[in-house]
Amino acid sequence: MGLSGTKHVPTPIYQAQNLTTTEFDKYIPPAHEDLLLKDPTSYQKFIGRLLYLTTTRPDIAFSAALRLVRYVKHAPGLGILMSATGDDLLRVYCDADWGACVNSRRSITGYLVHYGNSPISWRSKKQATVSRSSTEAKYRAMASSVAEVVWITGLFKQLGVDIKMPVTLFSDRKSAL
């Protein structure tokens, strides 16, 4: 593809970039015009070669193709691996980006579940309804995270895997209020 001499980048997509649909662009024109390819087969071959990465590297699933190559060049050994060492503690991280979708003003929920040092479940999804505040969006994110943890703990129980849950989420009781 002629990209062996490109510089590497630490992230798979440009930071703070919001993507829009073509329907949105009809009403609010973009700052720059997208150019159409004269021969789409080279792009199709390029994407075909990168498809296998999307199953093992979810951080690059929606990235731009050229930036993706530069990112893979930066970190060729990264991937999702289950660590053989570590504790049996289940950790969950969640957040919401209030009103992040420019088309519908719906919030984006994201969570990551770790078992020991290994990620075992993650999700990023547009919320079903428009939240009236960032707090409401974060509560919705926590609710989807809790539903995932309930499912995972049930699965682990059926498999006979002993897991530990964190005792507290906060360092002191006042910060929880």
Side-chain angles (χ1 to χ4, degrees), residues 95-99 107 127 131-143:
D95 197 9
D97 192 1
W98 182 45
S107 304
Q127 292 181 357
S131 298
R132 293 183 179 184
S133 67
S134 61
T135 304
E136 181 182 348
K138 290 185 187 289
Y139 276 117
R140 291 180 190 276
M142 284 191 289

Side-chain angles (χ1 to χ4, degrees), residues 80-156:
I80 299 173
L81 304 171
M82 289 294 289
S83 175
T85 61
D87 54 15
D88 54 353
L89 188 66
L90 195 66
R91 292 180 186 87
V92 183
Y93 305 95
C94 70
D95 197 9
D97 192 1
W98 182 45
C101 179
V102 294
N103 295 339
S104 64
R105 301 310 302 159
R106 290 190 283 172
S107 304
I108 307 293
T109 291
Y111 63 79
L112 172 67
V113 181
H114 274 227
Y115 178 65
N117 297 329
S118 304
I120 60 168
S121 179
W122 57 90
R123 187 173 197 177
S124 179
K125 183 180 179 184
K126 193 183 327 181
Q127 292 181 357
T129 59
V130 176
S131 298
R132 293 183 179 184
S133 67
S134 61
T135 304
E136 181 182 348
K138 290 185 187 289
Y139 276 117
R140 291 180 190 276
M142 284 191 289
S144 64
S145 303
V146 168
E148 182 70 6
V149 168
V150 168
W151 182 83
I152 288 173
T153 54
L155 176 66
F156 278 17

